[in-house]
Amino acid sequence: MSLLVEMNEKAMALGVPLTVHIDVTYRCNERCVHCYLDHDDKGEMTTQEIKNVLDQLAEAGVFFLVFSGGEVFMRRDFLELVEHARRLQFNVKVKTNGVMIHEREAKRMRELGVEQVQLSVYSHRPEVHDAITKLPGSLKRTVDSIRFLKSQGLKVTLSNVLMTVNRRDEAGTHELARQLGVSYTLDPTVTPKMDGDTSILSLRVNEDDLDPLYANPELVGNVDEFCKPPDPVDDDVMEGYSCSAGHTACYISPYGEVFPCVQFPLPTGNVRKQKFADIWYRSPQMQEVRSIKVKDLTVCSSCSHAGSCSRCPGLAYMEGSMRGPSSSDCEKSFHRTGIPSANMLRKASMASGGPLVQILPMTM
């Protein structure tokens, strides 16, 4: 068992918030077409308020801290916040577009011992990347930042979101990461805006576009293992949980709001009004999230994918019920294995007006 797995298991058993993602601002110098945030500043926490929250997180047992936004460097105090976090001995990861990082910022993050910096790149072609960010010259500036960070010996990840507007550029973007000597991650998830607006879901790729990606060992590892039919569902699966949100991880907005996850907009409290520990341990909403086991899921509990699906309770919540299925994850499971989910069978039955029909597995 790896140390990280052991830490997660112990945190789950003890109810410790092992990981916290905190957005220090929603302000951004880019206007990405798929972004789910409102970039207007509605009164973000002050430097001292955030430092006070970090103190509370350390006291609660948080170890992994993710700083994100918006664009974190839109805050002039950002490196001061990182310094405070490192003084508290958090393992710090920074998510940024890199546009405002130069040699000085890269050097300072290295001096502070930032564990990892993740930068968003959506295409290897400036005309595509810059059209997504709506900031001319942003690809060059981000790539320059990656080089500055690498020169300081920092661990860097190039993060890509797969959308209709860049789906043909995935291989080229992956090759760019290789040329830069950095890790690469690809996520096909486009989420509704935090205010419930679903218009940006039109940017989601057709699930058929995922098929060649699932057959790429550079992205998924062992293809035969990744794409194999789901294992039989046993009692351990049914008594388990589908996600770490609210169990070992949570999200804090720039305004102090606490949610189970950045993709799970269920308000559970606000650190401007309550202590973080009171929200984590005593919020009725957080307790409800924690109470839901796989066996309690209205559709997924009867699904053959129950033990292997990447079901996101936040996306399910935005579809209408945190106990329901996440349709996009159902589609991913189907395209990964060729086996239809219970939710897909249910929808097919409702559409036909007849009994459930078996959908033949897709040929891989």
Side-chain angles (χ1 to χ4, degrees), residues 326-341:
S326 161
S327 296
S328 63
D329 288 312
C330 293
E331 291 286 347
K332 290 173 189 172
S333 290
F334 171 59
H335 281 262
R336 178 169 56 84
T337 66
I339 307 296
S341 70

Side-chain angles (χ1 to χ4, degrees), residues 241-255:
Y241 306 97
S242 61
C243 180
S244 62
H247 292 276
T248 61
C250 69
Y251 164 69
I252 302 175
S253 83
Y255 313 121

Side-chain angles (χ1 to χ4, degrees), residues 25 27-29 44 70-78 100:
T25 183
R27 290 176 289 140
C28 194
N29 47 6
E44 61 197 31
E71 170 47 46
V72 292
F73 281 96
M74 293 293 285
R75 288 192 65 124
R76 295 182 179 180
D77 62 354
F78 177 62
M100 299 174 72

Side-chain angles (χ1 to χ4, degrees), residues 33-36 190-193 197-204:
V33 295
H34 62 290
C35 187
Y36 52 85
V190 176
T191 66
K193 293 186 177 182
D197 182 356
T198 60
S199 60
I200 57 176
L201 296 187
S202 62
L203 294 169
R204 282 180 175 173

Side-chain angles (χ1 to χ4, degrees), residues 330-331 334-335 339-349 359:
C330 293
E331 291 286 347
F334 171 59
H335 281 262
I339 307 296
S341 70
N343 186 44
M344 294 174 69
L345 293 171
R346 180 178 66 95
K347 287 184 174 180
S349 174
I359 302 175

